[in-house]
Amino acid sequence: FERRDPENQPRIKPFRRGDVDQDGDGTISDAQAIVSYLFQHGDTPACRKSSDTNDNGETTVTDAVEILVYLFRGGDTLPGPFAQCGRDGTDDQLSCRLFVPCQ
């Protein structure tokens, strides 16, 4: 399942991949935010780029799983920008309109 951005042109601000709820830390609540967005008609993340944890250009349930694997199974780190704020070099249609921890 994927929900797409309604915007034609994405706007990219500095962000941290995986910090979907923008609390400054990657936790289980970020995976929950993705699941809520996809399956429970939850809020669209203000920075869709942060929810694309595998950097494939879309937000799917796999992105939530990637966070959980990283947190609980010692998986690889997520693609950058991950440890610090930065811009995504991947050309896709996901936007990042607002990422408070990087302002």
Side-chain angles (χ1 to χ4, degrees):
F1 296 99
E2 177 191 3
R3 284 178 49 186
R4 297 183 184 269
D5 249 342
E7 301 175 4
N8 291 331
Q9 297 294 322
R11 293 178 291 168
I12 308 304
K13 301 280 187 185
F15 72 101
R16 284 185 56 220
R17 194 173 309 280
D19 186 7
V20 182
D21 62 8
Q22 298 191 32
D23 68 353
D25 200 14
T27 64
I28 195 170
S29 65
D30 297 301
Q32 173 57 39
I34 293 172
V35 170
S36 175
Y37 164 67
L38 292 172
F39 300 110
Q40 300 168 336
H41 302 290
D43 294 333
T44 300
C47 181
R48 288 278 312 281
K49 286 270 192 192
S50 69
S51 65
D52 180 17
T53 62
N54 57 12
D55 198 19
N56 69 351
E58 57 189 15
T59 301
T60 66
V61 70
T62 303
D63 295 302
V65 172
E66 291 283 336
I67 291 172
L68 298 174
V69 167
Y70 172 74
L71 291 172
F72 297 110
R73 303 227 32 207
D76 294 332
T77 60
L78 304 178
F82 175 64
Q84 58 190 10
C85 296
R87 296 184 190 275
D88 187 9
T90 305
D91 185 27
D92 58 41
Q93 294 300 306
L94 298 180
S95 66
C96 188
R97 295 182 307 274
L98 176 67
F99 197 83
V100 175
C102 293
Q103 290 184 342

